[in-house]
Amino acid sequence: MKYTMLISALLATLSLGACDRPTVVTVPATPVAVPVPGPAGPTGAAGNTGATGYTGSTGDTGSTGDTGATGKSGSGTTVIVTPPASAPAN
C-alpha cells in the first residue's frame, strides 16, 4: 500500500513518454563533385645557372703598434708570502 502511489506515478510518467512523436527525418547532403587531377605532364628543361653574388670589399690593414720600453731585470731577491697564523684551518 505504501508503494501504490509511487508505482502509479511511475506508470503515468512512462505512459506519457510513450506517446506518438513525429519522427525527424534528416536528408543526406548531396555529394559535391571534386575534380581529380590528371597524370603529371612531362618534365621541363633545366634552368640557367644564376650569376655569382658580390664578394665584398676587403678591410683596411691596421696600424702597427708602438714599441715600448723593455722591462727591467729583477734584483735576485725572492719574496715568499705565508698565510697569517690566526687563520682557521679548513
Side-chain angles (χ1 to χ4, degrees), residues 80-84:
I80 298 175
V81 179
T82 59

Side-chain angles (χ1 to χ4, degrees), residues 2-60:
K2 75 183 202 183
Y3 295 113
T4 307
M5 192 60 115
L6 179 66
I7 292 172
S8 61
L10 183 63
L11 287 175
T13 305
L14 289 175
S15 64
L16 287 177
C19 292
D20 185 28
R21 295 182 191 162
T23 58
V24 177
V25 179
T26 56
V27 179
T30 57
V32 177
V34 177
V36 177
T43 306
N48 296 332
T49 305
T52 43
Y54 178 68
T55 56
S57 60
T58 57
D60 294 333

